[in-house]
Structure formats: structure tokens, C-alpha cells
Amino acid sequence: MSCRRSVCVLICVFCFCCALGNVKHTFSIQELTVSQKELMDCGKQKKLCVTSSDDCLYTASDGVPQVPRTPEYFLNTSCHYLIQEESLTCRWTQTNNIKSQTISFIFSRAKDFNHCPSILTIYSTFNLTIKSKSIFSQKEQFSDIYPVIIRDIIQAPQPLISSVDVTDSSINVTWTSGENPVTKCKIRYKCLNSESWTETADLPSSVESQFVIEGLQAFSVYHLRVSCSHRFGRWSDWSNETRVKTSESLPSAAPSLSYYVDSDENSRNQQLVLLWKALDVTDAQGLIQGYEVSYMPIKQPSLKKTFHTTHLKVIVPVRSEEYEVSVCAYNSVGCSPHRRLTLDASRTHDVPALKSLWVYSDGASLWVCWEHEFTVVNVSEFAIEWSGTTDREHSRWERVTGSTFTARLPALLDLDRFRLVNVSRSSVAVQWTWREAEPSVSVRQYRLVLNGPLETRTLTVFPNKQQHLFLQLHPNTRYSIHIHGETTAGNFSKASLDVSTLLLDYDEMLRFAIPVLLLLLVFGVFSVLTRTICREYFFPFVANPRYSLIGRWLLDPHLQGNGSICTLKLDRVFLPEKSVIQLERRVSLSDHEDVLPLKICASAGRTAVEDALAPSGLPEYVDLPLLPESLGYVQTG
């Protein structure tokens, strides 16, 4: 039993030690900003200003709060002061495990504070203590004492880039720096593919400034940031990053041109094959839209021919004479320098053809091997062209050095992430991406198929295309879009989408909805303005007797005649004064209708009862005493 207890104790100790070893110190970045209106006095303690009234602690003669300090929990503390906001911001790294805490500042100095809200000024100096307090355990921790000189920690406001104008080689940057003017600024910029920033020298600045960055690469993306400073203090935080692209420029280099003459001994026809290399991005300085090719016999300039192409190879018929060939690349701005070449089509080609060529696949890679006969002519480069068997127009190129006899073509690609991009009343846009194929994937080609109730469309997709827009579709019609892969074993469905075209486009809906809304608005305004007239003519007001005091009395079933005569009892009525009541005769409309007698009138010293069948006449006015409300009627007969 003792052995088991010992083992259990050892296991517990081991687990406890492991738990202690696994405890990791947590680090958190803390920040607090205080303004003048948040500072409070501490009453008789004139050497203290606090952000919380609970921090008015006992102080020594030098004004330093007498508190236990744990500076190891407050690391990398830095503060800055903003003039326009008159606020102090401090940031530090907290190393304790307190997750929920309150943070406050304690300002102190040996000299008394006259007015705490006024200590955050440009010429103030004081000592700062940071306090953190756990909400749950109420444990307090105090930082070390940080002497603060406001003038030395003034930070300019973060500038804002307001506008950017670009050319093919420069960027004109305009920025603002707030209401308080700054004295100097600097700009940092870098190209999209670069890791390092380039900073300008200090630039004289004001509330709104501008600067032109020159010597940039055309048709390139740059990132810009601006920082400013007052004549003293610290630099501001860098502005938000602005991304801008320079405009296109003329291509700076001519295409690298090669050729060979291919002749047919039987027909004696000759063909000139021209090959050139695509310009590098730095030389293209824009998006190359095509190439201009011209050739002419030197002895017959009038036979000059010029055409445009988007390919990197052309074949033209020639005769056995000298020709002058010119090729240039062009973008939206203009053409590059021309690459001119003079050749004699009657001479045999100095570079022999390759002896053999074979291709094999290794997983997802395609390898090309060849043999070449060494001659006096130095071969500097091999150009490899390949394309799909069903689409020879879209060819791809790879160039290797002349000392290489094996080349690995770009990996086989597989279609991925097929998704819907946009749907309208008459069009559907789809998009996909290409990724490196798995070794087991061997797809010859992919086909994009759209199936509808009235039509079917099919097209082949290649790696140079990543989206397609189907046009002239029927509105409010359901279509299915499929990607089919073709292999040696057969076809398979790669991905599919079901989509329905819209009945109305957004613009059409707006054109329909806006007039309707305006009509409803006009109708509503008209109804509000004419509601009195409408009620008067179409909905006249009918009086409801239930809302009238007399009407309710008349409709009371307890007061309807039942053949009994009610007589008002006046036995115990004191008649100090007289009143007047009007009496009128009620005439029966039929023989069967009961006639109610007239009210009994009384005056001091006499009682009179008038017959109900008395001759009618004008209304009579008699004196009637003021009757108390407690008097009732007594039925007689």
C-alpha cells in the first residue's frame, strides 16, 4: 500500500512540474490615450494628477507615488503627444497573465500642479506611472517612473495622401498634414515585386504639399507612404499605403529576330520562317498588343508587304534574292524600335536541322530531348514551340541556351475553381484557374459546354484563357454549364454549374422602378393635400348619437315609455329660489302611441298638474325650483 502511495505522489509531483513547465508567459500590446478633460485633481495632494480618482495615493516630498513597482511587467514603453488633439498616448508590452484589467495613468512631480487639465501642453514636464488592475482579483501593478518632456515627444499627425497623378516614368504625390502645419516630410516607395523601400530626402512641407517622384519604370505598380514632422519632436506614423500604377510607354527594345529559309526541291518554292522572342516586362513597358512585320526585295521596293500578327512566328513566301525584313512590337502607346535584318534567300542555311527529337512525360512534367550536329556556326539558343493538336493557332514557346539538349516544359496544367462570375439578362460569365496537374492526371484538353433548352455551345479552353462570357442568351432561361475533360480512355465531367438568366437587368429594373416610385410619391402627396376634400365629398361625417350625452339618454332603454306615469316627488324639497323650465306639448302620431304627460311644475306654495290633452299652444315658461340630484321619479298608475 505504501508503495502505491509513493508512486501516486511521484506521479502527482511529476504532473505538477510538467504543468509549471508548460506555463507560458503571455505578451500583449497595450495602449492608452488621455486628453486634458480626462485629468483630475487629487484635492490636497497638489503633486498628483490622475485619470481615476482611486489613484490619489500617498506621495513623498518629491511627488513620487509610494507604491510597490513591478517594472518587469511593463516593457518597451513609448509615448507621444499630439498637438492638434492635446492628448498623450503611451504604448507598451504587458508580460503578465492578466486578461481583464483596467489601466490608468498617474502624473506626478516635485512642484505642485496648479490645474491638472493644463499639464498636457507643449512646455510641460512630469513623471508618469502606469497602473494596471485586475478586474477579478483586484491585484494592482505599477510600472517604473517615466520622466516625460512633452516637447521631446511631440508627434506630427498622420498625413493623408489626397491625390496621385502618374506618367510613364513619374508619380506626382499630393498629401495633407492636418490643421497644424509641419515643417518637413518624406516619402517612401517601392515597386510591387521589390522587398526594400526607397526613401526620399526630407522635403519642405506645409498643410498641403506635393512632390514628383521621377525615374520610375513604366507600366509598373508602386506602393507609396508619407511621413511628416514638426520642427521638433518625432516623425508621424506612416500614412496608409497607396497603390498606383505608372502608365504605358513605348517599348524600349526591339524584338530579338531569327530566321531560316525552307525550300522544297520538287516545287522550287521557298519559305522564309521568321522567329522572334517576346519582350521582357521591363522592355515591353506596357501590354504588347501585337507585332508589325514587313519584308521586301531589296531590288524591288515596290513589292514591300506589311502585316500584323500576335504570334511569335510567321512564314512568308520568298524568291531567291535578297530581302530586307523588319519586325517591331507595339502597345497602346506606339511601336518599339524596329529590328531590321538583311538576308539572301538564295543561300543555303548555315545552321543544320536537329538530328532527332523525342518527347516523354515524367509525372506531371513534359521533357523534350534532341541531338544536334556540331558545326562551325555557334548555336547560341534553341527555341521550342508546342501547341495542342486541335488548336495549333495557340502555340507556346520556350527558349534554352545552345549548350542544352534537354528541356523541361512547363508542368501539365489542370483546371480548378470553376465558378460563376456574373449573370445578366442575356449573358453569363464564368471563370476558372489553372494549377499544376497531379502525376495521375493526363488530360488532352478541356471543353466548355453550355446547354440550354434551345441551344448548345461548345468551345475548347487553354491555359492562356481563364474566363469566358456567353452572350446572346435568352432571358429568364435556365442553363447548365459543364467542363469536360478529354483523355485517352474517354471523356469525363470536371465541373458543372446551373444558372438562370435574369428576367430584367439591374438597369432595366431601375428604369421600371423609378417611374413607379415617382408615381406613388406623387399620388401620396396628392392624397395628403386633398384628404379634407376627399373626406367631405366621398366620406361625409355622420354623427354618432352614442358619442353625445343627450343621445345616450335618448337611447337608454330604461327611459322608454312603458305606459306608466312618472311623477317627481317634491315632498321634502326646500325651495329657496325659483328657476325657469320650458314646457312643450308632444303630439301623438297615431292612436296606439302612448302620450307622455308633461313634466309636473311646482312653485312655492302650490302644485299644478296639466292634462296631457290640453290644447296646444306656444311653449310655456314656468318657475321650477333647483332640484337636488338625489330626487327620483315615482311611478303612479
Side-chain angles (χ1 to χ4, degrees):
M1 183 64 68
S2 60
C3 293
R4 291 183 179 179
R5 292 181 178 176
S6 301
V7 172
C8 292
V9 171
L10 291 175
I11 292 175
C12 293
V13 172
F14 177 76
C15 294
F16 180 74
C17 294
C18 292
L20 290 179
N22 292 329
V23 173
K24 297 181 179 180
H25 293 284
T26 58
F27 297 85
S28 61
I29 304 299
Q30 302 290 338
E31 182 178 293
L32 181 63
T33 300
V34 295
S35 58
Q36 289 185 349
K37 61 182 180 180
E38 298 179 66
L39 298 182
M40 297 179 291
D41 300 327
C42 280
K44 297 181 179 180
Q45 301 189 50
K46 299 298 183 180
K47 294 181 173 56
L48 278 183
C49 289
V50 296
T51 58
S52 174
S53 58
D54 298 336
D55 297 336
C56 292
L57 306 175
Y58 174 79
T59 59
S61 58
D62 57 354
V64 177
Q66 301 299 311
V67 293
R69 300 185 179 274
T70 53
E72 64 274 10
Y73 293 147
F74 302 85
L75 304 178
N76 304 324
T77 304
S78 63
C79 301
H80 65 267
Y81 177 77
L82 297 179
I83 295 179
Q84 69 279 6
E85 299 178 2
E86 294 182 332
S87 64
L88 176 69
T89 301
C90 293
R91 185 184 294 111
W92 66 95
T93 302
Q94 191 117 7
T95 61
N96 58 343
N97 295 321
I98 299 178
K99 296 182 179 180
S100 299
Q101 59 184 352
T102 58
I103 301 173
S104 57
F105 286 169
I106 303 174
F107 302 89
S108 61
R109 67 181 180 187
K111 185 179 179 181
D112 292 349
F113 291 114
N114 296 325
H115 184 237
C116 282
S118 63
I119 67 172
L120 294 182
T121 57
I122 187 174
Y123 300 107
S124 296
T125 60
F126 48 79
N127 297 321
L128 174 65
T129 300
I130 304 174
K131 170 192 170 183
S132 66
K133 181 178 181 181
S134 174
I135 297 178
F136 301 107
S137 64
Q138 300 298 312
K139 181 180 179 181
E140 297 179 345
Q141 295 175 344
F142 296 87
S143 69
D144 205 350
I145 301 174
Y146 303 114
V148 177
I149 302 175
I150 295 293
R151 184 183 179 88
D152 295 339
I153 62 172
I154 291 177
Q155 186 178 40
Q158 184 183 33
L160 174 66
I161 298 178
S162 55
S163 65
V164 177
D165 298 325
V166 299
T167 65
D168 58 345
S169 61
S170 64
I171 300 176
N172 188 351
V173 188
T174 304
W175 67 91
T176 58
S177 55
E179 298 179 355
N180 295 318
V182 295
T183 57
K184 55 185 177 180
C185 293
K186 58 184 177 182
I187 303 174
R188 63 189 304 186
Y189 62 93
K190 71 171 183 177
C191 194
L192 178 62
N193 299 324
S194 177
E195 296 294 335
S196 59
W197 292 85
T198 301
E199 287 191 9
T200 63
D202 293 350
L203 310 172
S205 182
S206 59
V207 175
E208 184 175 14
S209 307
Q210 65 177 1
F211 181 75
V212 179
I213 307 174
E214 298 179 340
L216 303 179
Q217 180 68 35
F219 203 63
S220 299
V221 178
Y222 286 89
H223 296 272
L224 305 174
R225 282 185 167 184
V226 180
S227 178
C228 298
S229 175
H230 298 291
R231 65 181 182 273
F232 47 79
R234 301 178 178 179
W235 287 88
S236 69
D237 294 334
W238 289 101
S239 65
N240 295 330
E241 194 171 283
T242 300
R243 184 173 176 176
V244 64
K245 189 174 186 178
T246 53
S247 59
E248 291 188 355
S249 180
L250 291 173
S252 59
S256 178
L257 182 61
S258 304
Y259 78 96
Y260 71 90
V261 179
D262 187 15
S263 60
D264 189 351
E265 296 180 357
N266 297 327
S267 61
R268 295 184 179 181
N269 293 330
Q270 291 180 316
Q271 291 180 330
L272 176 62
V273 181
L274 298 175
L275 301 172
W276 57 89
K277 187 177 181 180
L279 295 179
D280 295 333
V281 176
T282 55
D283 295 330
Q285 301 195 111
L287 184 62
I288 298 299
Q289 299 179 352
Y291 300 89
E292 181 183 279
V293 181
S294 63
Y295 67 100
M296 69 174 182
I298 295 179
K299 296 181 179 180
Q300 297 177 327
S302 60
L303 299 179
K304 180 179 180 180
K305 294 183 179 181
T306 302
F307 59 92
H308 296 81
T309 180
T310 58
H311 301 290
L312 299 178
K313 181 183 75 171
V314 294
I315 301 176
V316 296
V318 294
R319 293 181 295 180
S320 297
E321 56 181 316
E322 290 187 342
Y323 283 84
E324 182 179 291
V325 180
S326 174
V327 178
C328 74
Y330 61 88
N331 55 21
S332 61
V333 179
C335 286
S336 68
H338 287 75
R339 177 70 67 183
R340 303 185 185 277
L341 186 66
T342 302
L343 56 94
D344 189 355
S346 61
R347 295 179 56 184
T348 59
H349 208 283
D350 296 331
V351 181
L354 299 179
K355 283 185 176 182
S356 59
L357 176 69
W358 69 95
V359 181
Y360 67 93
S361 61
D362 180 13
S365 302
L366 189 67
W367 290 87
V368 181
C369 303
W370 62 90
E371 291 182 356
H372 177 63
E373 181 181 354
F374 291 95
T375 60
V376 179
V377 179
N378 184 23
V379 177
S380 60
E381 192 176 40
F382 291 103
I384 306 169
E385 178 189 16
W386 79 95
S387 63
T389 56
T390 58
D391 186 21
R392 297 183 180 275
E393 293 295 327
H394 297 83
S395 58
R396 303 177 66 184
W397 288 85
E398 184 74 16
R399 290 179 176 258
V400 295
T401 61
S403 59
T404 304
F405 299 96
T406 302
R408 177 182 178 272
L409 300 182
L412 299 177
L413 298 177
D414 188 19
L415 192 142
D416 189 23
R417 297 181 183 178
F418 183 62
R419 63 188 183 93
L420 183 67
V421 178
N422 187 33
V423 180
S424 68
R425 184 173 179 269
S426 60
S427 65
V428 173
V430 292
Q431 191 178 62
W432 59 89
T433 59
W434 297 94
R435 61 179 177 83
E436 188 171 330
E438 300 294 334
S440 58
V441 177
S442 179
V443 180
R444 292 182 175 179
Q445 63 181 4
Y446 285 104
R447 292 186 180 274
L448 183 63
V449 181
L450 177 128
N451 293 322
L454 302 176
E455 60 178 335
T456 299
R457 303 184 189 180
T458 303
L459 71 151
T460 304
V461 294
F462 296 93
N464 62 339
K465 190 173 185 179
Q466 296 184 351
Q467 63 181 3
H468 183 73
L469 178 64
F470 292 100
L471 299 174
Q472 298 180 353
L473 302 181
H474 299 282
N476 196 25
T477 305
R478 188 172 183 82
Y479 291 91
S480 61
I481 307 173
H482 303 270
I483 289 286
H484 294 301
E486 180 182 338
T487 63
T488 56
N491 299 336
F492 68 96
S493 179
K494 177 68 176 178
S496 63
L497 290 172
D498 292 329
V499 61
S500 297
T501 54
L502 303 178
L503 179 62
L504 293 174
D505 286 338
Y506 180 73
D507 296 337
E508 295 179 348
M509 289 190 291
L510 287 180
R511 288 195 296 268
F512 173 77
I514 291 177
V516 174
L517 293 176
L518 291 177
L519 181 61
L520 292 175
L521 180 61
V522 172
F523 180 76
V525 173
F526 178 79
S527 300
V528 171
L529 295 178
T530 60
R531 66 181 184 271
T532 304
I533 301 176
C534 292
R535 287 182 179 180
E536 182 178 354
Y537 286 96
F538 298 102
F539 306 100
F541 179 77
V542 178
N544 189 350
R546 294 187 179 275
Y547 296 100
S548 171
L549 181 61
I550 299 176
R552 287 197 300 271
W553 180 80
L554 292 174
L555 295 177
D556 191 351
H558 299 288
L559 300 179
Q560 296 180 358
N562 54 3
S564 301
I565 298 176
C566 298
T567 304
L568 185 63
K569 296 174 63 177
L570 302 176
D571 296 341
R572 297 181 302 273
V573 177
F574 178 73
L575 302 173
E577 57 181 344
K578 299 180 180 180
S579 298
V580 179
I581 186 171
Q582 178 180 347
L583 301 178
E584 296 181 0
R585 175 177 296 278
R586 177 183 177 189
V587 181
S588 175
L589 300 178
S590 63
D591 298 337
H592 302 285
E593 184 179 2
D594 296 332
V595 178
L596 295 178
L598 295 176
K599 294 287 183 175
I600 296 174
C601 301
S603 60
R606 66 184 181 90
T607 301
V609 179
E610 296 185 8
D611 189 357
L613 299 178
S616 61
L618 295 174
E620 299 179 8
Y621 294 88
V622 299
D623 294 333
L624 183 68
L626 294 177
L627 304 179
E629 295 181 357
S630 60
L631 293 180
Y633 291 97
V634 178
Q635 294 186 359
T636 61

